[in-house]
Amino acid sequence: MKFIKRLWFRFIALFKQGLTPIEMLQSVLISLVISLLPFYGIATPALTAMSVKYRFNLAIMIAISYLIEPLKILLFIPFVNIGGALFGAEHTQLTVEGIKASFQEGVFSAIPFLAKELLYGFAGWFITVIPIAFLIYIILHGVLKLRIKQQETYEQYDTTKS
């Protein structure tokens, strides 16, 4: 049992890598936001660039990206529908039959069809994920600041009493 506990703490230490709780929150939220983009193949390079530029934890960002992949698949069609409604499209054509029909006419005729659907998906992602992530960040940032302040107060009280 001690072995498993030690292994767990080493695993957690790998993800923390000396980050403050707020930096950890930023790493997780940025990873969630970018991983939910309705474009495949963009998440890993984008997360790598963000982690290099802002010194985020790449290991936790990639792990979250892989964990969030099923949610990305589930949210793709709702993002397209939300974006389509935003642009005033009565109904998006993103169905299996619609995709097959567009490719039967040729690859080059399918590109505008799929590009429009991806634009709708991006718009749906932008108006849902970005505000939700921003709200979560504001709330959790405030909670973490309060928790850090409480911990500092407790440590100050505890050291002066000794």
Side-chain angles (χ1 to χ4, degrees), residues 96-117:
V96 174
E97 294 81 22
I99 293 172
K100 283 181 184 178
S102 67
F103 275 106
Q104 285 176 351
E105 295 173 15
V107 173
F108 292 110
S109 66
I111 290 173
F113 164 73
L114 295 175
K116 184 174 71 172
E117 299 297 325

